[in-house]
């Protein structure tokens, strides 16, 4: 799955770095931009700051202890045959042989046998034994006509040399009665037709720790469930769009996995909650909608060896209904069971953000029952750490604005920047002023976006011309930005004379801040 940034055309070199004298930056951090694209060199010369008060340090430590951390982080295994161990390749071959035999014998299409009919009442069976004996005796009597016909057929079934030949009638009957090899497809991939099938089978093997019999049983049960649930028809069904804000796909993580956002806080809407979970029929409809969404997403994955065939899950628990919502618990439990039994190894990472206290308590209860492989995929982040946690796995330009990034919703209009335009991240230390300089070499128009997650800083921008007799132009007067202000500030400036754009962020707080920015150069026009 190619990254969209690969398709972006290169920009002409309109900006270069300039040296900043150490004495000019004695009390602030200065960042000079190397080129139009945001490779940067950073110079940190801020004076040492006193540590935060003791009570603040303790509060931070205590809040971090509440969030469970996994000692082992999950890393996806390769699906290429050359990368598998000898035992894994052997298990894969054994499973393929079992699937081949099952397809040849029609095991996956076999229907459950109907129960045997109940025995007849004793009174009826006691009345007719003589008739049965007579019938049996009639069947055992030899039939001279039939014997003569068989002997005639045997005599004629000889070749020119008098040797007996195979009976074509019997052969044709056996050939006609032998079952044709069935075909089974899963997520658009026919089993045992090409190398993509190996990737599917490896998912079942890994879900059962490469125990072939267990993996085959899981595969067989999944195929049976897919038929009973009517998956092929469900994919194309129209189930409405009222849940589009609950689950959505947007962007990719740093390794190319598509990112799925699950926003449980949407169910705080009482009308939506009642419409979705108030009775068993509505809960089943929600379940079908969720399975349909998953099926459509999976069919877009790349099942070739080495391709991206898993999804990065983000679960937003902000304002999510608490454990007292029985209907939601029922629907969630049912969905989790179906996903666990029939969709093995389709999640690369499970990141939980804006985690409330009650969910952590719930997780600690179920934690002993989870496998180490499952737990290694989990990442938890408190509300204060959620943006930072997402940026660890997803580039800021791919993270939606509501989660701290610069990616706008697909329905919004942003003519200057696309999701493929890269973003530069800078950590602004406590009580430090961070400066970003964009040096310009010719007439142009500079457009930029700036965001400090959570704000609580001052933001300003100015243009400083190279000519000594020219005045500095204030583009954005230094303004205190509150957490309630617009999360992203956009500016543009038409440059007639050579010089530099200076963006200044002053962080007076005792907390580190994450600065995000990107810019674009447009042709100068009168």
């Amino acid at each position: 799955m190619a990254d969209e940034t690969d398709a972006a055309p290169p920009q002409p070199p309109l900006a270069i770095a300039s040296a900043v004298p150490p004495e000019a930056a004695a009390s602030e951090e200065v960042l000079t931009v190397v080129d139009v694209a945001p490779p940067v060199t950073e110079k940190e010369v801020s004076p040492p700051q006193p540590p935060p008060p003791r009570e603040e340090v303790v509060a931070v430590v205590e809040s971090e202890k509440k969030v469970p951390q996994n000692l082992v982080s999950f890393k996806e295994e390769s699906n290429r045959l050359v990368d598998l161990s000898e035992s894994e390749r052997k298990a894969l071959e054994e499973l393929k042989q079992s699937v081949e035999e099952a397809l040849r014998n029609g095991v996956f299409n076999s229907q459950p046998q109907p129960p045997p009919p109940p025995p007849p009442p004793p009174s009826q069976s006691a009345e007719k034994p003589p008739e049965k004996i007579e019938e049996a005796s009639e069947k055992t009597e030899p039939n001279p006509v039939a014997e003569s016909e068989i002997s005639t057929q045997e005599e004629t079934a000889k070749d020119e040399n008098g040797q007996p030949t195979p009976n074509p009638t019997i052969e044709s009957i056996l050939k006609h009665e032998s079952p044709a090899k069935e075909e089974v497809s899963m997520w658009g991939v026919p089993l045992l037709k090409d190398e993509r099938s190996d990737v599917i089978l490896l998912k079942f093997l890994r879900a059962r720790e490469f125990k072939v019999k267990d993996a085959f049983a899981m595969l067989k049960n999944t195929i049976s469930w897919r038929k009973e649930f009517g998956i092929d028809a469900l994919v194309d069904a129209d189930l409405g769009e009222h849940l589009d804000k609950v689950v959505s796909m947007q962007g990719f993580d740093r390794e190319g996995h598509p990112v799925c956002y699950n926003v449980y806080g949407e169910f705080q809407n009482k009308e939506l909650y009642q419409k979705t979970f108030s009775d068993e029929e509505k809960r089943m409809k929600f379940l079908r909608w969720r399975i349909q969404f998953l099926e459509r997403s999976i069919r877009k994955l790349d099942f070739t060896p080495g391709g991206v065939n898993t999804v990065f899950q983000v679960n937003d628990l902000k304002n999510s209904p608490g454990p007292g919502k029985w209907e939601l618990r029922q629907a969630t439990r049912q969905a989790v069971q179906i996903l666990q039994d029939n969709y093995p190894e389709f999640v690369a990472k499970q990141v939980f953000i804006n985690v409330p206290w009650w969910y952590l308590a719930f997780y600690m209860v179920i934690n002993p029952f989870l496998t180490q492989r499952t737990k290694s995929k989990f990442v938890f982040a408190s509300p204060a750490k959620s943006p930072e946690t997402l940026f660890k796995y997803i580039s800021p330009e791919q993270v939606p604005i509501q989660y701290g990034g610069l990616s706008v919703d697909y329905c919004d209009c942003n003519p200057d920047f696309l999701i493929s335009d890269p973003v530069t991240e800078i950590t602004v230390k406590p009580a430090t002023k961070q400066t970003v300089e964009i040096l310009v070499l010719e007439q142009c128009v500079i457009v930029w976006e700036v965001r400090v997650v959570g704000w609580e800083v001052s933001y300003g921008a100015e243009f400083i011309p190279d000519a000594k007799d020219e005045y500095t132009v204030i583009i954005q007067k230094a303004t205190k930005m509150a957490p309630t202000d617009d999360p992203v500030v956009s500016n543009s400036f038409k440059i007639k004379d050579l010089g530099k754009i200076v963006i200044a962020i002053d962080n007076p707080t005792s907390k580190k801040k994450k600065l995000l920015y990107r810019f674009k150069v447009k042709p100068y026009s009168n």
Side-chain angles (χ1 to χ4, degrees):
M1 189 174 295
D3 195 341
E4 294 181 11
T5 55
D6 296 339
Q11 298 286 351
L14 300 179
I16 59 173
S18 65
V20 179
E23 61 271 17
S27 61
E28 60 185 36
E29 295 188 356
V30 179
L31 183 73
T32 53
V33 176
V34 178
D35 206 335
V36 173
V40 297
T41 59
E42 189 171 350
K43 187 174 183 180
E44 299 182 3
V45 290
S46 59
Q49 299 297 326
R54 181 176 178 80
E55 58 271 20
E56 294 184 11
V57 175
V58 173
V60 171
V61 172
E62 289 298 324
S63 65
E64 291 178 352
K65 284 184 178 179
K66 292 180 182 179
V67 180
Q69 299 294 333
N70 293 313
L71 299 179
V72 180
S73 179
F74 175 76
K75 183 175 179 58
E76 280 191 286
E77 300 92 342
S78 172
N79 289 316
R80 294 186 175 93
L81 290 179
V82 294
D83 296 330
L84 299 179
S85 66
E86 183 178 351
S87 62
E88 290 172 344
R89 285 197 297 269
K90 181 180 178 181
L92 177 60
E93 287 303 318
E94 290 180 6
L95 181 58
K96 290 171 70 173
Q97 292 175 7
S98 299
V99 173
E100 174 73 26
E101 183 178 355
L103 292 174
R104 186 168 55 248
N105 296 329
V107 172
F108 296 132
N109 282 335
S110 61
Q111 299 295 330
Q113 296 294 330
S123 59
Q124 295 180 2
S125 61
E127 292 176 358
K128 300 184 178 181
E131 296 181 3
K132 290 188 176 181
I133 295 175
E134 292 177 0
E135 290 177 359
S137 62
E138 290 177 0
K139 292 180 181 179
T140 57
E141 292 180 1
N143 189 339
V145 178
E147 290 181 357
S148 63
E149 290 179 355
I150 293 174
S151 61
T152 304
Q153 291 177 359
E154 291 178 351
E155 291 177 359
T156 56
K158 296 181 180 180
D159 57 14
E160 296 177 353
N161 299 324
Q163 298 296 328
T165 59
N167 193 328
T169 305
I170 297 177
E171 283 188 352
S172 62
I173 293 174
L174 292 176
K175 185 177 180 181
H176 177 72
E177 291 181 351
S178 61
K181 183 177 178 180
E182 62 177 322
E183 294 186 1
V184 176
S185 293
M186 305 180 73
W187 303 293
V189 177
L191 292 183
L192 303 186
K193 291 294 184 181
D194 54 43
E195 60 184 0
R196 296 177 301 164
S197 175
D198 291 351
V199 176
I200 297 290
L201 297 182
L202 280 171
K203 290 182 179 293
F204 286 89
L205 283 169
R206 290 190 170 114
R208 292 297 180 262
E209 299 179 342
F210 282 87
K211 297 176 181 178
V212 177
K213 291 183 178 180
D214 293 345
F216 179 78
M218 184 183 187
L219 175 67
K220 182 180 177 182
N221 292 337
T222 297
I223 293 173
S224 176
W225 172 83
R226 292 176 68 84
K227 293 178 180 178
E228 294 174 2
F229 207 81
I231 292 297
D232 292 336
L234 179 63
V235 171
D236 299 323
D238 183 6
L239 301 181
E241 300 178 353
H242 66 287
L243 294 173
D244 284 356
K245 291 184 178 181
V246 177
V247 184
S248 62
M249 304 291 293
Q250 185 168 348
F252 301 88
D253 72 356
R254 296 182 184 271
E255 296 180 354
H257 302 100
V259 181
C260 178
Y261 291 89
N262 302 278
V263 187
Y264 294 97
E266 291 291 331
F267 290 126
Q268 283 285 16
N269 184 316
K270 293 183 179 180
E271 181 180 352
L272 178 62
Y273 186 90
Q274 290 295 323
K275 187 177 180 180
T276 308
F277 301 116
S278 60
D279 57 46
E280 182 63 29
E281 182 180 353
K282 291 184 174 64
R283 290 193 292 272
M284 179 54 66
K285 184 176 180 180
F286 166 75
L287 183 63
R288 289 175 58 79
W289 181 89
R290 188 63 183 87
I291 296 298
Q292 181 194 66
F293 184 92
L294 179 62
E295 282 285 331
R296 290 176 175 179
S297 302
I298 288 177
R299 293 176 187 230
K300 297 177 182 178
L301 299 176
D302 182 6
F303 286 102
T304 57
V308 176
N309 51 73
T310 52
V311 177
F312 189 100
Q313 291 269 5
V314 177
N315 304 283
D316 181 12
L317 301 179
K318 182 178 180 180
N319 298 326
S320 59
K325 296 290 187 180
W326 179 86
E327 300 86 357
L328 178 58
R329 291 206 321 270
Q330 287 292 102
T332 302
R333 186 181 296 112
Q334 190 175 8
V336 168
Q337 189 64 49
I338 288 178
L339 298 180
Q340 179 177 297
D341 293 343
N342 303 286
Y343 293 89
E345 299 298 316
F346 276 103
V347 176
K349 188 74 71 176
Q350 285 270 19
V351 178
F352 297 82
I353 61 175
N354 299 313
V355 179
W357 66 268
W358 60 263
Y359 192 87
L360 297 178
F362 168 75
Y363 175 77
M364 297 308 293
V365 172
I366 67 173
N367 181 62
F369 303 98
L370 300 176
T371 65
Q372 183 58 48
R373 182 178 179 85
T374 298
K375 289 188 289 186
S376 66
K377 297 182 181 182
F378 288 177
V379 177
F380 298 88
S382 63
K385 296 289 186 180
S386 292
E388 178 182 343
T389 301
L390 288 179
F391 296 157
K392 181 179 178 181
Y393 302 101
I394 311 172
S395 300
E397 64 269 17
Q398 300 278 343
V399 176
I401 285 181
Q402 63 267 35
Y403 298 126
L406 290 179
S407 174
V408 297
D409 293 335
Y410 293 136
C411 59
D412 293 341
C413 178
N414 187 7
D416 293 323
F417 294 97
L418 304 173
I419 195 172
S420 57
D421 294 324
V423 172
T424 299
E425 305 173 55
I426 302 174
T427 298
V428 184
K429 295 181 178 180
T432 302
K433 184 177 181 180
Q434 178 75 54
T435 302
V436 176
E437 297 181 354
I438 305 173
L439 307 182
V440 185
L441 297 181
E442 63 182 70
Q443 292 183 341
C444 62
V445 176
I446 298 286
V447 182
W448 67 92
E449 285 184 331
V450 174
R451 176 174 194 172
V452 176
V453 180
W455 287 116
E456 294 181 322
V457 300
S458 294
Y459 160 69
E462 59 185 13
F463 173 73
I464 303 176
D466 289 342
K468 301 294 184 181
D469 56 345
E470 296 291 339
Y471 294 101
T472 297
V473 179
I474 304 298
I475 303 173
Q476 170 72 51
K477 183 179 179 181
T479 306
K480 292 183 178 180
M481 305 298 293
T484 54
D485 289 332
D486 290 340
V488 181
V489 172
S490 301
N491 290 109
S492 64
F493 188 71
K494 183 181 291 186
I495 298 176
K496 299 179 181 178
D497 304 314
L498 303 186
K500 61 183 178 181
I501 299 287
V502 179
I503 299 172
I505 301 294
D506 188 0
N507 177 20
T509 70
S510 60
K511 299 177 291 185
K512 293 187 297 183
K513 294 288 184 177
K514 181 68 70 174
L515 166 63
L516 309 175
Y517 79 92
R518 59 181 169 182
F519 67 92
K520 185 174 290 186
V521 178
K522 294 185 175 182
Y524 181 87
S525 173
N526 291 325

